[in-house]
Amino acid sequence: MANIIELEVCYVLNEDYKDILEKIEKYGYTFNAHIIEEDTYYTDKQETFIKDRICLRTRKTNEDSLELTYKPKTDNSTEKYGKKEVNISLNVKDYKDIKFVINSLGYDEYVTFKKDRTIYTKVINGFEHNIMIDKIEGIGQYIELEIIANTEEEKEKLHDELDNFVRIFECDKLVEKNKPYRDIVKEYYIKNNK
């Protein structure tokens, strides 16, 4: 089980983001991975998970790994400045059984979608900095900047570092993503399936 704190912020990317790729190279970030993630989000019957931005999710990556993720209640400020995340690795062969257990416990599938993700990484002052370029078919492209902390004390020290990360990559000139992917995709499905 991995128990981490992510400080992250995400922005909408234009079709052409060559300038971002140039900055990734200029500042020495290295290619980490190109993956396809299939995320399924769950909610309780009253949908308080959605209202309170609680995350209960399974994530299948490249059809060969599976993870169960839980993130507690958040708001816009805690999402940007670090929220705890608990990840439990599972056997991908048990995917259907895991979904059955989650449904049997009273949680409903809210939305499922695939995300094409390219990750670039650099360690700065002992902390992992990640840049993720995400593409979701029909939805758009995004850039997520993330710093990984292990403790609340580390998280508090990294607020300014996250703001600096945003400035360096000039993401403050982009439109900030104001909802979780889960909600953006669900709204798109509802709008386009009437």
Side-chain angles (χ1 to χ4, degrees):
M1 175 174 72
N3 193 345
I4 60 172
I5 299 170
E6 295 178 338
L7 286 86
E8 63 184 35
V9 65
C10 189
Y11 297 87
V12 179
L13 271 180
N14 301 320
E15 285 296 317
D16 178 24
Y17 52 91
K18 186 174 78 173
D19 57 328
I20 297 283
L21 295 174
E22 288 170 354
K23 283 185 179 69
I24 287 170
E25 186 175 339
K26 175 183 175 181
Y27 291 108
Y29 286 78
T30 57
F31 173 81
N32 182 320
H34 176 250
I35 56 178
I36 303 296
E37 297 176 335
E38 180 181 321
D39 290 349
T40 300
Y41 287 85
Y42 298 87
T43 188
D44 56 319
K45 302 287 183 199
Q46 296 75 33
E47 293 195 353
T48 52
F49 278 28
I50 306 309
K51 295 175 201 131
D52 291 342
R53 296 178 83 160
I54 295 168
C55 171
L56 179 61
R57 175 188 72 208
T58 56
R59 171 171 285 167
K60 191 165 38 163
T61 303
N62 292 340
E63 299 292 328
D64 59 11
S65 68
L66 180 65
E67 185 175 72
L68 178 67
T69 298
Y70 175 76
K71 299 179 190 180
K73 182 177 179 177
T74 59
D75 58 31
N76 285 338
S77 63
T78 54
E79 184 161 333
K80 180 174 181 180
Y81 287 112
K83 56 185 171 184
K84 185 175 181 142
E85 178 174 313
V86 178
N87 298 303
I88 302 169
S89 295
L90 303 167
N91 189 327
V92 73
K93 294 175 189 169
D94 297 328
Y95 185 53
K96 287 183 181 175
D97 291 334
I98 297 298
K99 289 176 93 168
F100 173 77
V101 169
I102 292 170
N103 292 142
S104 296
L105 291 171
Y107 299 104
D108 295 326
E109 288 184 32
Y110 183 69
V111 69
T112 298
F113 61 92
K114 288 187 179 180
K115 178 174 63 216
D116 183 305
R117 172 170 273 190
T118 304
I119 306 167
Y120 301 91
T121 303
K122 183 176 181 179
V123 175
I124 301 172
N125 299 323
F127 295 100
E128 183 179 317
H129 289 60
N130 294 308
I131 300 169
M132 280 82 75
I133 307 290
D134 293 335
K135 299 174 186 173
I136 303 173
E137 189 173 338
I139 307 298
Q141 302 179 127
Y142 299 86
I143 181 170
E144 185 174 308
L145 305 178
E146 169 189 84
I147 303 173
I148 304 294
N150 297 302
T151 66
E152 288 293 324
E153 294 78 26
E154 289 177 352
K155 179 187 89 170
E156 294 305 317
K157 294 177 186 175
L158 293 170
H159 289 182
D160 291 341
E161 183 67 24
L162 181 62
D163 290 337
N164 189 46
F165 199 3
V166 169
R167 276 191 300 278
I168 287 171
F169 283 89
E170 298 182 26
C171 290
D172 47 349
K173 295 179 181 176
L174 301 173
V175 174
E176 190 169 352
K177 177 175 74 76
N178 59 359
K179 296 177 186 175
Y181 286 135
R182 168 195 77 186
D183 299 344
I184 294 169
V185 173
K186 182 70 170 187
E187 288 171 10
Y188 173 82
Y189 288 169
I190 290 169
K191 181 181 174 186
N192 291 287
N193 290 315
K194 284 186 175 181

